[in-house]
Amino acid sequence: MEEILTNRYISIKHPINGAPEESDFEIKSESLSPLPADSMKKKKEVIVKNLYVSIDPYQLNRMKSHSPSQSAINFASPVTIGQTIDAYGVGRVIASGNPAFEKGDLVAGLLCWGEYTVVKEGGLLNKLDPMGFPLSYHVGVLAFSGLTAYAGFFEVCKPKKGEKVFVSAASGSVGSLVGQYAKLFGCYVVGSAGTQQKVDLLKGKLGFDDAFNYKEETDLKAALKRYFPEGIDIYFDNVGGEMQEAAVANMNTFGRVAVCGVISEYTKKNKPSAPDMLDIVYKRITFQGFLAADYMKIYNNFISKTVEYLRDGKIQALEDILYGLETIPSAFLGLFLGGNVGKKMVKIAEDE
């Protein structure tokens, strides 16, 4: 007898142009194709039971009525009202019309904020070898958060041993890893965060040389001058805005800025702060925005080194996991309220 699946998923009710609220989201349902179905084989579709899904701040830009210019990569396309929202995740194949996948395969790729995902032929989906790590690691430290940190630091920043590195949003999914990679490489590292608890975490568990609570500073330029009296060589920027302006003011000649995200500007409608362009010219500072997808060529090297560091206990994976489909909106809002530490994700279901 054919089984008809009902998929519950999170969608938006309308475009979100400011700070998100839980009322902007709703849980909807849809019926998926009966299992098994001949049509699946014709379309080479795969149905995945979602286990973990990633919660990322960039998603807000996809939800705006006028989304900013996006890369051609498919997971950056605008979100359609009432439809599923793509998100990276880990799941288990429950039905397959694609010969590359079998029922029971553990997979990672572009899923959705829902209980199930129908992945069409050519979709971003790969078989997953857990390598002895928790499945959640394959949503964060061993997935795009990790690759973003690794590629951004080594490929974009091009560090030299002994250089002075500043990381904003340093307790987040990317910043926490950038700081650890930088320390292992031999740099002096200072991070900023929004609570004293996070500051203590950076200096204690993660081994940053120093850290500070930016909310307690009335003058960010003066604060960075205290922590970097000899100037900043590398700034890994996760927030943009006033912090970026202050970092550039304290940078050394031929400094490098890797622009990973500008979360301070995602919810603002007014004109954002900007660095002094004369500083950039006369100090010959290099600014580079980037996406992890630009650096898939180094994926194997990233995985090899990061797995080695994890197994040796040289890198700590910070995770913030909520449980249940219903928690996705609050998990997403939490990214903009500064409450999370490490990689934010939601566990949708147990792996049976």
Side-chain angles (χ1 to χ4, degrees):
M1 181 176 178
E2 294 181 335
E3 177 187 2
I4 298 178
L5 289 177
T6 298
N7 180 35
R8 296 191 309 143
Y9 63 92
I10 300 294
S11 68
I12 58 171
K13 298 177 182 178
H14 48 73
I16 305 173
N17 293 312
E21 300 179 0
E22 287 199 43
S23 59
D24 296 325
F25 300 88
E26 63 181 338
I27 297 178
K28 301 195 74 174
S29 297
E30 62 179 353
S31 295
L32 302 182
S33 301
L35 304 180
D38 290 337
S39 62
M40 286 184 62
K41 294 182 180 179
K42 292 178 182 178
K43 297 178 181 179
K44 294 187 177 180
E45 291 177 336
V46 176
I47 297 183
V48 177
K49 179 181 179 181
N50 302 336
L51 301 177
Y52 289 88
V53 293
S54 180
I55 310 296
D56 301 287
Y58 85 89
Q59 295 276 28
L60 184 59
N61 293 324
R62 302 178 60 212
M63 299 172 185
K64 296 177 180 179
S65 54
H66 298 287
S67 295
S69 176
Q70 297 283 7
S71 162
I73 51 178
N74 54 3
F75 55 80
S77 58
V79 170
T80 301
I81 295 171
Q83 300 300 306
T84 57
I85 299 171
D86 298 334
Y88 194 82
V90 168
R92 183 76 71 174
V93 174
I94 61 169
S96 176
N98 187 327
F101 300 94
E102 296 180 358
K103 181 178 179 180
D105 283 346
L106 193 62
V107 292
L110 194 60
L111 305 181
C112 75
W113 284 355
E115 295 175 323
Y116 299 93
T117 303
V118 178
V119 182
K120 297 180 180 179
E121 182 183 16
L124 177 60
L125 194 69
N126 296 290
K127 290 185 180 181
L128 177 63
D129 175 6
M131 297 183 287
F133 294 107
L135 292 182
S136 57
Y137 278 29
H138 298 276
V139 181
V141 63
L142 294 175
F144 278 105
S145 292
L147 180 59
T148 299
Y150 189 90
F153 182 65
F154 290 107
E155 298 293 314
V156 178
C157 296
K158 297 180 172 30
K160 302 179 183 67
K161 293 185 185 301
E163 286 194 311
K164 297 169 181 61
V165 178
F166 173 48
V167 184
S168 57
S171 65
S173 62
V174 174
S176 61
L177 294 171
V178 171
Q180 293 181 83
Y181 285 134
K183 281 300 299 176
L184 287 167
F185 185 74
C187 292
Y188 175 82
V189 184
V190 176
S192 64
T195 68
Q196 187 58 46
Q197 181 182 14
K198 292 179 180 180
V199 168
D200 294 340
L201 175 70
L202 295 177
K203 294 194 290 184
K205 185 174 183 178
L206 302 190
F208 281 56
D209 292 290
D210 216 331
F212 66 94
N213 182 350
Y214 71 90
K215 292 181 180 178
E216 295 179 348
E217 302 291 344
T218 57
D219 186 334
L220 291 175
K221 292 181 182 178
L224 288 175
K225 183 66 176 177
R226 290 201 317 270
Y227 288 97
F228 294 96
E230 297 178 358
I232 300 168
D233 298 304
I234 291 172
Y235 173 40
F236 198 100
D237 187 6
N238 290 301
V239 301
E242 295 178 4
M243 188 66 81
Q244 183 188 87
E245 182 180 353
V248 168
N250 282 277
M251 293 198 76
N252 291 326
T253 303
F254 298 112
R256 287 88 73 205
V257 180
V259 185
C260 175
V262 287
I263 192 171
S264 71
E265 300 175 17
Y266 292 170
T267 60
K268 292 182 179 179
K269 299 179 182 179
N270 56 319
K271 186 177 180 180
S273 301
D276 187 330
M277 295 305 293
L278 288 178
D279 266 340
I280 294 174
V281 172
Y282 288 114
K283 293 180 182 178
R284 285 85 90 198
I285 295 171
T286 299
F287 261 76
Q288 184 177 335
F290 72 99
L291 298 173
D294 299 334
Y295 294 94
M296 293 306 295
K297 62 184 179 182
I298 67 165
Y299 179 80
N300 289 337
N301 183 53
F302 147 67
I303 287 291
S304 176
K305 292 300 296 182
T306 304
V307 164
E308 175 187 335
Y309 288 149
L310 286 169
R311 287 178 174 159
D312 291 344
K314 294 180 179 179
I315 277 185
Q316 304 297 317
L318 301 182
E319 298 179 323
D320 185 350
I321 304 175
L322 277 71
Y323 298 87
L325 178 76
E326 296 81 2
T327 67
I328 287 179
S330 62
F332 185 61
L333 267 61
L335 293 171
F336 303 95
L337 299 175
N340 69 295
V341 175
K343 178 61 188 174
K344 178 82 80 173
M345 68 186 83
V346 169
K347 184 175 183 179
I348 302 294
E350 296 290 342
D351 185 22
E352 298 174 354

